[in-house]
Amino acid sequence: MRITRVLSAALLTLGLAVSPAVADSTPSASPSEESDAPTEAGTSFRTAAEFEQGRTATASASTGDYLYWSFPADAGGRPTVRATVKLPEAAQSSSTWQLDVYDGLRRRQACQYGAQTRTAGAEATSVELSCTLRTVRAWSEQWSDDPLPGTYYIRLTTIRLATADLGLPVGVEVEADSKDIGGSAAVDGSLAQPLVPGIAVTSQQDEDEESSTDAVLSSLEPDDGWASGWWSDRWVWTAIGAVLAALAGIGGYSLTRGAGRPTRVPPPGA
């Protein structure tokens, strides 16, 4: 009976450890579903068009333009950016397009995989590009260029184009999403603030409402807010490991207890 009670208590502890992770994985209504994606692109980092992950931003532009968008990415996610360029029918030669992604410090981030640069022939009607970044970390050393939580910028342009095709109209679709990597990418630390341009101005507005006329360069954040950096599902696996170790110890004790005791005590004088 005592072993049964111990096993019941251990299973109850395991259920309590797993329940927060289950609650976090439950889908919830996203405010971004009610907002419209931008239909224009910016021409610089400061004028980048903001859009939420999971939405598709569109723009009409001309060949040779530099097009900018921005989106928020939080710790523990692996962002992937995709772009589709609808090429003009009047193009007379091939063109090469490139998709670049920058973090909140405007550091160009390397693509883990994906076709970041592609060349389209004169007969092509569209070209597709993609870039999957490394997993966003909650914290890293100052000398490192690891992706950190905050605003990410997308820049799309053509890097090789015939002069005769310069200025022709093109249509662009851009989207971004993230894969949740989980506790395997967790680190023991977090940034004081995400790398969001204008966040210092936002903090000042919170303290002084009279400064509401100041510009805020970025206003988007993840649906459930920026991660605090201390919780991840690795705590669940740590709890599971501790429970399994306790069960193994209890089971080993129950199997080996009394093995060293004599089964029968000989009578005196035997």
Side-chain angles (χ1 to χ4, degrees), residues 87-88 90-97 119-124 160-166 168:
L87 301 173
Q92 300 179 8
S93 61
S94 61
S95 58
T96 302
W97 294 80
T119 299
E123 300 81 9
R160 190 181 67 84
L161 182 69
T163 304
D165 295 335
L166 189 64
L168 294 178

Side-chain angles (χ1 to χ4, degrees), residues 50 52-53 70-77 79 104 136-138 148-152 178 190-197 199 202 218-231:
E50 298 179 333
E52 294 278 3
Q53 291 193 36
S70 66
F71 66 95
D74 206 359
V136 178
R137 296 166 58 89
L148 294 170
T151 299
Y152 280 75
S178 292
S190 62
L191 298 179
Q193 295 287 352
L195 301 179
V196 177
I199 193 168
T202 305
S218 182
S219 59
L220 295 182
E221 64 179 30
D223 296 339
D224 52 355
W226 298 105
S228 60
W230 70 271
W231 169 257

Side-chain angles (χ1 to χ4, degrees), residues 57-232:
T58 59
S60 297
S62 301
T63 53
D65 290 345
Y66 283 84
L67 308 178
Y68 290 82
W69 295 267
S70 66
F71 66 95
D74 206 359
R78 180 181 295 165
T80 297
V81 179
R82 301 178 182 87
T84 301
V85 182
K86 298 179 181 179
L87 301 173
E89 298 180 357
Q92 300 179 8
S93 61
S94 61
S95 58
T96 302
W97 294 80
Q98 182 167 305
L99 179 70
D100 296 313
V101 182
Y102 299 82
D103 65 3
L105 297 178
R106 299 184 185 179
R107 302 177 302 180
R108 184 176 180 271
Q109 293 294 319
C111 298
Q112 206 172 28
Y113 52 86
Q116 183 181 10
T117 304
R118 273 190 171 176
T119 299
E123 300 81 9
T125 59
S126 64
V127 59
E128 296 182 356
L129 305 101
S130 65
C131 175
T132 299
L133 303 179
R134 294 169 294 166
T135 303
V136 178
R137 296 166 58 89
W139 177 88
S140 69
E141 297 287 350
Q142 295 182 357
W143 49 262
S144 174
D145 61 348
D146 291 331
L148 294 170
T151 299
Y152 280 75
Y153 295 94
I154 304 170
R155 185 179 72 179
L156 177 66
T157 189
T158 175
I159 58 175
R160 190 181 67 84
L161 182 69
T163 304
D165 295 335
L166 189 64
L168 294 178
V170 294
V172 181
E173 293 182 356
V174 175
E175 61 180 3
D177 54 39
S178 292
K179 178 181 179 181
D180 187 13
I181 302 303
S184 61
V187 294
D188 296 328
S190 62
L191 298 179
Q193 295 287 352
L195 301 179
V196 177
I199 193 168
V201 178
T202 305
S203 301
Q204 183 179 0
Q205 290 177 3
D206 294 339
E207 298 176 359
D208 186 4
E209 295 181 357
E210 296 180 358
S211 62
S212 59
T213 57
D214 295 339
V216 178
L217 302 182
S218 182
S219 59
L220 295 182
E221 64 179 30
D223 296 339
D224 52 355
W226 298 105
S228 60
W230 70 271
W231 169 257
S232 69

Side-chain angles (χ1 to χ4, degrees), residues 9-26:
L11 292 176
L12 177 60
T13 303
L14 179 61
L16 293 175
V18 175
S19 58
V22 175
D24 290 343
S25 62
T26 303

